[in-house]
């Protein structure tokens, strides 16, 4: 694992879609789980870092896309952790609602094992001590970002430009562009100095 801050680590086996580890006083938290089949490599990284799978207390999912929930079921079974997601993305995650457009096509060849959502996020707020969940819809209806001690885990809500400002992912990956733009503006007003997007290296943030 690559250390990002004193408490945040990035799984190096998840470069195609980033997953992160947050070590708090009484919690060890994984944020997103990358694509299917990454779970064994992620657990191997934990072991190499002197940590045990049983130490993971929570798994937080930013949204329902297959490259974010891909190894959730495997990691949930291996760790016994509580699995968190916003209620508006659960139907897609569990296959009860079809993913839209291009994401449906991706789902024909990337099929995650279905996890059990045991922690349902319904509103903004602290879901575990030290972790604030903030809804940022647009990319998906229930997309959620997570904030911990000045570090924002942004999933696919935004990407970061070279000048440190924010932009959206391409339109064909965004369910509702108007809502996504509103979420991006709201994200830019949050109190953080480091942003950890899903498809980029962590970057320092420059306010709009």
């Amino acid at each position: 694992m690559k250390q990002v801050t004193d408490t945040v680590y990035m799984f190096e086996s998840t470069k195609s879609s980033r997953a992160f580890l947050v070590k708090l006083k009484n919690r060890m938290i994984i944020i997103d789980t990358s694509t299917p089949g990454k779970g064994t490599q992620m657990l191997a990284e934990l072991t190499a870092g002197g940590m045990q799978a049983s130490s993971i207390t929570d798994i937080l999912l930013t949204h329902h896309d297959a490259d974010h929930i891909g190894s959730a079921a495997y990691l949930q079974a291996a760790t016994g952790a509580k699995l968190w997601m916003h209620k508006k993305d659960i139907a897609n995650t569990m296959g009860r609602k079809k993913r839209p457009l291009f994401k449906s096509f991706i789902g024909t060849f990337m099929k995650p094992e279905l996890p059990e959502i045991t922690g349902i996020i319904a509103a903004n707020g602290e879901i575990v001590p030290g972790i604030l969940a903030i809804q940022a819809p647009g990319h998906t209806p229930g997309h959620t970002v997570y904030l911990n001690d000045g570090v924002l885990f942004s999933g696919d809500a935004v990407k970061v430009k070279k000048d440190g400002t924010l932009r959206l992912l391409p339109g064909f990956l965004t369910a509702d562009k108007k809502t996504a733009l509103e979420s991006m503006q709201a994200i830019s007003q949050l109190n953080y100095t480091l942003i950890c997007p899903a498809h980029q290296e962590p970057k320092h943030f420059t306010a709009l």
Side-chain angles (χ1 to χ4, degrees):
M1 285 185 294
K2 179 179 179 180
Q3 188 164 2
V4 179
T5 71
D6 289 344
T7 58
V8 175
Y9 298 78
M10 183 170 61
F11 288 94
E12 296 195 85
S13 60
T14 64
K15 290 182 179 179
S16 62
S17 186
R18 304 285 187 184
F20 296 90
L21 175 73
V22 183
K23 294 177 66 176
L24 302 180
K25 185 176 181 180
N26 297 311
R27 299 269 183 165
M28 282 184 59
I29 299 160
I30 290 175
I31 299 179
D32 279 340
T33 66
S34 195
T35 55
K38 292 293 186 182
T40 54
Q41 298 172 61
M42 291 172 68
L43 292 184
E45 289 191 56
L46 282 177
T47 301
M51 293 167 274
Q52 298 179 338
S54 58
S55 300
I56 302 299
T57 57
D58 302 270
I59 300 169
L60 314 183
L61 300 175
T62 57
H63 63 292
H64 67 64
D65 286 350
D67 60 333
H68 292 257
I69 70 167
S71 295
Y74 179 92
L75 291 170
Q76 182 181 35
T79 64
K82 189 169 185 177
L83 185 66
W84 295 84
M85 172 176 267
H86 195 279
K87 64 179 183 179
K88 291 183 179 180
D89 269 17
I90 292 176
N92 293 105
T93 297
M94 304 308 295
R96 298 193 296 267
K97 184 178 180 181
K98 188 176 181 180
R99 291 181 173 89
L101 303 174
F102 183 70
K103 296 180 182 183
S104 180
F105 170 72
I106 292 175
T108 63
F109 61 88
M110 187 185 293
K111 296 182 179 180
E113 182 183 351
L114 299 182
E116 181 184 359
I117 308 300
T118 51
I120 298 175
I121 301 169
N124 293 348
E126 192 175 55
I127 55 171
V128 300
I131 298 285
L132 185 66
I134 303 166
Q135 190 176 9
H139 182 73
T140 67
H143 193 294
T144 302
V145 300
Y146 300 100
L147 185 62
N148 166 249
D149 194 24
V151 180
L152 183 77
F153 302 91
S154 60
D156 283 350
V158 294
K159 293 188 74 174
V160 186
K161 297 192 291 187
K162 288 183 179 180
D163 64 1
T165 57
L166 304 180
R167 67 178 177 88
L168 298 180
L169 270 69
F172 69 92
L173 294 173
T174 302
D176 184 331
K177 185 175 180 180
K178 180 177 181 294
T179 303
L181 285 168
E182 292 170 353
S183 291
M184 183 175 71
Q185 182 62 35
I187 287 170
S188 73
Q189 303 303 315
L190 296 175
N191 185 23
Y192 62 94
T193 56
L194 186 71
I195 183 169
C196 295
H199 303 288
Q200 296 174 284
E201 290 283 325
K203 295 178 180 292
H204 290 284
F205 173 66
T206 303
L208 294 174

